[in-house]
Amino acid sequence: MAVSALATGCQPPGFFDGQNLWHEWVVNFFPRIGDSICRGMGGHADGGPPNWLIYLVLGFLGSLIVVNIAALGVPFVVLLERKLLGRFQNRIGPNRVGPFGLLQPVADALKLMTKEDITPAAADKIVFALAPLAFAIPIILMFAPIPWADHASLANLDIGILWVIAVTTAAEAGIFMAGWSSNNKYSLFGAMRAVALLVSYEIPLVLSLLGVVLLAGTLNLSEIVLDQRFAPNILWQPLGFFVFIIAVSAELNRAPFDQLEAESELVSGFHTEYSGMKWAMVQLGEYAALIGFSAIIATLFLSGWKGPLWIPGYIWLVTKMAFILCAFIWVRATIPRMRIDQIMAFGWKFLLPLSIINIFATAAEVIAFPDALPYWLIPINIAFAGACVVGMAKLLGFQPKTRKIVIPGRPVIGDDTPGRIVPLMRGGN
Amino acid sequence: MTLKTEPIIVNIGPQHPSTHGVFRLRILFDGEVIHDVEPVFGYLHRGSEKLAEERTYTQIVTLTDRLDYLAAMSNNLSYCLSVEKLMGIEAPERAKYIRTIMAELMRISSHLMGLGFFLQDLGAFATPLMYMFREREKIMDLFEMASGARITYTYMRPGGVNDDLPPEFMPALRKFADEMPGYIDEYERLLRENEILITRTKGVGVLPRDLAINGSLSGPALRASGVPWDLRKADPYEVYSRVQFDLPVGQIGDNYDRFLVRLEEMRQSLRIVRQCMQQMPAGPFRADLPMLLRPPKGDAYAHVEGPKGELGFYLVSDGSISPYRCAIRAPSFINLSLLKEMLVGWKIADMITIVGSLDFNMGEVDR
């Protein structure tokens, strides 16, 4: 399959004819660029360059754009996270460098580039140097099949979802390499946790995706977007979305599943010993995965680049990604961390059964309505998802049970200031 | 085929994000499970007790500030009570009320920090901690009005306090006492029924009642184990016999109980503060004493219920201007004595939270 690199934009002659409106350029920005380059090189003409050369040039340019979206997006996501965390935590966040701290990413990058790159004396030096690459590169590969707009994916892979899962799983090898080669016990703890946790959460992650695949009947991300014609998949697949977003936060080492780098326990887990640009690569990988997975969530469940209003697809996609990123940051600011055995129990006993239930329910729906799912199924699906989550939680005993504090002696509690009544939220006998 | 495994020793600290200062634990891990614990102290040893032998009785107040630097007022109070007992004098009424208010505000401030860092250890990424800093800031503003300092107050003196309260203090205190219950309710709503917090704290680090008594624990850690022992009730000093308050007591002595007991104690402290504000008389704020105190020969021990537990000063006087010996009963240090019993068998993540729930301060442990 030779489709690559905006090459979907190198359309046969006549594809764009008669639509030379400016908004058509805005909407089809990426295909248009591809098409113009293609025509500029003399493609589709007699005596022009061979197709493989056009594909090569377009592929290279496309990769450049997408890799830069990942690499330049990361510092700004980090800035967004720091700003938002600051707001959640009742402080201001970075505001010294540039207006509103907007140049903070530049300062961070310069600092990291000039920092000393330390390799511990006892480390396995080759593996230690390779680990950040082994971690970051697969994650950047994940951006290839994401459709940024109509006909604007770098590689319109027929196995898009499988590709994403495969490359992000490969990144775990990098985590273990980093943890093992550092020759640091904290790193080793982090790496061991990574193996246990990430491998466990791959399973609900993949299984919860199968519902979407069943609905769309394809693994191709562009076609999954096109399939969400009438309503985004989150409405058809609320349970799948619930499981997927939890499994993704475990995959991304985000709170409350940030066991691999648990700051208060393992200093910073598998990348404790990293500094300078190697550390920057690890950070790049982590936050690129965050960006990539928000794009995947938006694509699979929130109808990707499609939107109800006439706005270019890439802007829709980025808007949806921003919402998802903010949600991840919000969770990080709010929720305490779980213990490793509790996380494993949560994954195997709670998420895995839910994702299997989701597959069977979706399959039944698809068999019952082979053409298109009727709209009245949406509230039923949402109610079903809620019932499944609550029922499973009750079954496993995840119920908040608070405890009262005993106050021996006088059972009073009140305000001693006369004339004021203070409502008291207390248990106490 | 059996897999050959081997326990590993990990040094947690003295440089680690959640060691509460420079505390070092040598832990023998089998996988993630703790098999043996050896605490290593002394990284912050400054010889406060020995230094006290070279200072005059008034100068020693500055040393006590630096013991538990999150509860400097309570340390001042304990030391001043000890000197007063040694000299056989008493502070004036107004000074007693001022000191009680300060000690209770200090308890709230210290518990805020204790809870904040405990939640930080649980992995709640700094958010509760920052909220608690917000309220602690108000308490520090109050202390700044009274003493001019924000951490090391040196506010109390043998025989009273250094200076009377400024006129703007009481309105600010009243405003704080009105606002604070709402904030405590906010923490409670945010945290008390949080599923993850409950799974992480309930039944974790259980300290049975008998063991807690045998380990001579004191303070919230003891009360969380179900022992209603508080020096403010058991041996009332200052004006605690004239105010009404309750002792919150836990049920089984796990992390969750220690968390709830501290939350409740902040409310009780506010009750005490409000009553003191009503009862506070006018009058002198310091007894008329010479500049250089020369207590008669003898010894005295006075203790207060500090935020972390029973804080006592034992002073031996040889009749000169500085004590012959000053010994400090530091609650943080003694509360750590049962660390091994509490930690063995738990995982690394629980170890951090159990240590955090004890709320110790290395300035006091190492002295």
Side-chain angles (χ1 to χ4, degrees):
Chain A
M1 204 182 76
V3 184
S4 75
L6 303 185
T8 41
C10 189
Q11 301 297 347
F15 184 83
F16 290 120
D17 284 0
Q19 302 176 42
N20 262 337
L21 302 171
W22 67 270
H23 71 255
E24 197 268 335
W25 258 96
V26 176
V27 172
N28 287 323
F29 181 70
F30 294 106
R32 267 293 188 187
I33 295 281
D35 195 50
S36 303
I37 295 170
C38 178
R39 279 164 206 277
M41 289 174 70
H44 300 306
D46 293 338
N51 274 352
W52 64 264
L53 187 62
I54 296 175
Y55 283 144
L56 194 69
V57 170
L58 287 176
F60 185 75
L61 286 174
S63 316
L64 197 70
I65 295 173
V66 170
V67 169
N68 275 307
I69 287 173
L72 293 180
V74 167
F76 286 93
V77 172
V78 174
L79 177 68
L80 176 75
E81 171 156 47
R82 289 176 63 184
K83 273 284 192 192
L84 275 183
L85 277 180
R87 290 299 173 184
F88 284 127
Q89 293 170 1
N90 209 351
R91 51 194 178 84
I92 295 171
N95 68 341
R96 296 286 96 183
V97 194
F100 311 109
L102 280 177
L103 294 180
Q104 188 69 40
V106 182
D108 285 348
L110 283 176
K111 183 203 76 175
L112 286 171
M113 275 183 239
T114 50
K115 239 179 144 175
E116 187 185 357
D117 193 3
I118 300 167
T119 306
D124 184 340
K125 297 197 174 48
I126 298 169
V127 181
F128 186 78
L130 283 179
L133 296 176
F135 179 57
I137 288 176
I139 283 175
I140 288 177
L141 288 181
M142 163 190 172
F143 284 78
I146 294 170
W148 297 95
D150 198 7
H151 288 99
S153 59
L154 178 60
N156 191 14
L157 294 177
D158 279 345
I159 50 156
I161 293 181
L162 190 61
W163 167 265
V164 169
I165 300 296
V167 292
T168 49
T169 309
E172 287 160 22
I175 294 182
F176 191 73
M177 281 162 71
W180 182 264
S181 65
S182 298
N183 206 352
N184 176 320
K185 286 164 188 167
Y186 294 123
S187 304
L188 187 61
F189 273 127
M192 293 310 226
R193 286 178 176 188
V195 173
L197 184 127
L198 298 182
V199 172
S200 307
Y201 274 74
E202 283 292 332
I203 298 165
L205 181 85
V206 176
L207 290 185
S208 59
L209 281 181
L210 286 187
V212 175
V213 175
L214 279 174
L215 284 185
T218 174
L219 291 167
N220 185 318
L221 286 171
S222 308
E223 286 175 28
I224 288 176
V225 175
L226 291 174
D227 183 67
Q228 305 175 52
R229 269 187 303 270
F230 306 112
N233 271 339
I234 183 174
L235 296 178
W236 306 112
Q237 286 284 316
L239 191 56
F241 178 75
F242 176 79
V243 175
F244 185 69
I245 204 159
I246 293 175
V248 161
S249 30
E251 279 296 296
L252 294 172
N253 325 329
R254 300 287 301 181
F257 305 102
D258 53 346
Q259 284 294 323
L260 324 190
E261 39 202 86
E263 196 209 337
S264 58
E265 298 155 25
L266 300 183
V267 190
S268 50
F270 69 95
H271 57 78
T272 305
E273 293 288 353
Y274 281 91
S275 62
M277 279 314 280
K278 290 204 191 92
W279 185 83
M281 282 300 275
V282 174
Q283 270 320 83
L284 177 81
E286 277 187 6
Y287 280 89
L290 182 61
I291 299 173
F293 264 113
S294 1
I296 297 289
I297 292 170
T299 303
L300 292 180
F301 289 100
L302 303 177
S303 70
W305 50 265
K306 283 159 74 92
L309 294 174
W310 188 88
I311 293 176
Y314 40 91
I315 293 184
W316 268 118
L317 183 66
V318 170
T319 314
K320 289 169 184 173
M321 283 164 64
F323 270 106
I324 296 164
L325 285 172
C326 291
F328 275 124
I329 295 167
W330 186 9
V331 169
R332 180 173 180 210
T334 312
I335 299 183
R337 188 182 302 120
M338 289 164 86
R339 203 169 60 201
I340 182 76
D341 55 325
Q342 292 164 347
I343 293 185
M344 301 294 276
F346 184 69
W348 288 104
K349 294 182 188 164
F350 184 72
L351 292 184
L352 184 62
L354 280 184
S355 55
I356 291 174
I357 290 172
N358 184 50
I359 293 176
F360 280 103
T362 314
E365 284 174 9
V366 171
I367 290 171
F369 307 99
D371 299 329
L373 298 186
Y375 281 108
W376 51 262
L377 219 47
I378 289 175
I380 293 178
N381 273 356
I382 292 173
F384 177 70
C388 280
V389 171
V390 173
M392 190 62 80
K394 282 227 192 289
L395 198 66
L396 292 180
F398 291 150
Q399 276 297 308
K401 291 178 215 70
T402 58
R403 188 183 297 150
K404 288 188 163 69
I405 277 293
V406 187
I407 294 181
R410 198 163 64 103
V412 192
I413 304 275
D415 194 320
D416 299 280
T417 320
R420 273 190 67 239
I421 297 165
V422 174
L424 286 153
M425 294 189 42
R426 79 165 48 251
N429 43 359
Chain B
M1 179 195 145
T2 52
L3 207 60
K4 184 171 169 288
T5 60
E6 192 183 335
I8 55 172
I9 292 176
V10 181
N11 276 296
I12 310 275
Q15 290 166 353
H16 185 274
S18 47
T19 51
H20 300 252
V22 282
F23 184 42
R24 177 174 157 210
L25 278 168
R26 290 183 84 234
I27 299 185
L28 187 72
F29 280 110
D30 179 17
E32 290 223 1
V33 181
I34 295 172
H35 273 202
D36 196 11
V37 177
E38 184 194 339
V40 183
F41 302 109
Y43 288 91
L44 203 58
H45 178 65
R46 290 149 303 173
S48 303
E49 293 178 359
K50 187 71 186 165
L51 283 172
E53 295 170 15
E54 305 294 326
R55 301 280 194 282
T56 67
Y57 281 94
T58 314
Q59 285 171 339
I60 294 172
V61 178
T62 60
L63 292 180
T64 66
D65 278 336
R66 287 148 180 84
L67 290 177
D68 178 358
Y69 40 82
L70 293 178
M73 287 285 188
S74 308
N75 304 343
N76 286 354
L77 178 60
S78 178
Y79 170 72
C80 293
L81 284 175
S82 183
V83 177
E84 284 161 17
K85 204 169 176 184
L86 196 60
M87 297 183 65
I89 55 169
E90 260 195 71
E93 282 294 291
R94 184 174 172 80
K96 283 186 176 178
Y97 277 100
I98 294 176
R99 286 173 172 191
T100 309
I101 288 175
M102 293 300 174
E104 289 308 313
L105 288 176
M106 199 77 246
R107 185 185 319 278
I108 295 172
S109 160
S110 172
H111 280 353
L112 283 173
M113 286 295 90
L115 289 176
F117 281 108
F118 168 62
L119 294 161
Q120 169 92 336
D121 290 346
L122 274 176
F125 185 71
T127 309
L129 180 64
M130 288 295 165
Y131 276 58
M132 289 170 184
F133 264 119
R134 177 184 66 187
E135 276 70 76
R136 178 172 179 258
E137 189 66 22
K138 298 188 170 114
I139 298 177
M140 303 227 303
D141 287 343
L142 288 171
F143 286 156
E144 194 179 1
M145 282 179 202
S147 70
R150 292 169 62 81
I151 300 283
T152 50
Y153 312 105
T154 322
Y155 180 57
M156 297 176 193
R157 293 285 182 278
V161 294
N162 180 36
D163 207 346
D164 203 358
L165 296 174
E168 70 269 21
F169 183 87
M170 289 314 270
L173 179 62
R174 191 161 290 120
K175 183 158 172 289
F176 172 77
D178 288 347
E179 283 174 355
M180 191 61 198
Y183 290 129
I184 300 175
D185 292 345
E186 189 184 351
Y187 306 144
E188 195 157 346
R189 278 198 303 275
L190 187 66
L191 298 163
R192 184 174 184 150
E193 298 192 8
N194 184 309
E195 177 72 48
I196 297 179
L197 186 122
I198 287 173
T199 46
R200 280 300 300 281
T201 56
K202 249 189 167 177
V204 174
V206 177
L207 186 58
R209 185 190 157 101
D210 297 347
L211 190 61
I213 294 172
N214 287 348
S216 80
L217 258 66
S218 53
L222 176 70
R223 288 192 285 277
S225 295
V227 186
W229 173 259
D230 188 322
L231 288 173
R232 293 175 294 175
K233 291 268 194 210
D235 180 15
Y237 50 93
E238 300 297 67
V239 297
Y240 284 110
S241 51
R242 296 176 221 168
V243 291
Q244 290 181 328
F245 62 99
D246 296 316
L247 288 188
V249 168
Q251 289 174 16
I252 63 170
D254 55 0
N255 279 350
Y256 194 55
D257 271 340
R258 286 189 278 274
F259 167 75
L260 290 182
V261 163
R262 290 206 174 87
L263 263 184
E264 188 57 46
E265 278 192 10
M266 292 200 284
R267 291 210 177 89
Q268 300 297 334
S269 291
L270 280 174
R271 276 180 78 193
I272 298 173
V273 168
R274 277 198 219 102
Q275 294 174 53
C276 286
M277 279 158 59
Q278 283 183 332
Q279 297 175 8
M280 183 139 81
F285 55 86
R286 190 165 48 182
D288 201 9
L289 292 175
M291 286 293 278
L292 275 181
L293 302 177
R294 288 176 198 273
K297 274 187 188 174
D299 60 343
Y301 175 76
H303 50 193
V304 302
E305 182 71 26
K308 272 113 184 160
E310 177 184 345
L311 173 67
F313 278 77
Y314 177 67
L315 293 173
V316 181
S317 166
D318 56 359
S320 70
I321 56 169
S322 49
Y324 177 75
R325 175 80 171 94
C326 168
I328 303 163
R329 186 207 191 269
S332 296
F333 180 61
I334 294 165
N335 285 359
L336 285 178
S337 57
L338 290 177
L339 211 48
K340 187 169 170 182
E341 281 77 358
M342 293 172 81
L343 291 183
V344 169
W346 292 102
K347 291 194 167 57
I348 180 168
D350 297 319
M351 181 275 285
I352 300 288
T353 57
I354 293 168
V355 169
S357 75
L358 283 175
D359 185 22
F360 58 92
N361 185 300
M362 287 317 280
E364 196 171 68
V365 172
D366 292 339
R367 303 199 275 289

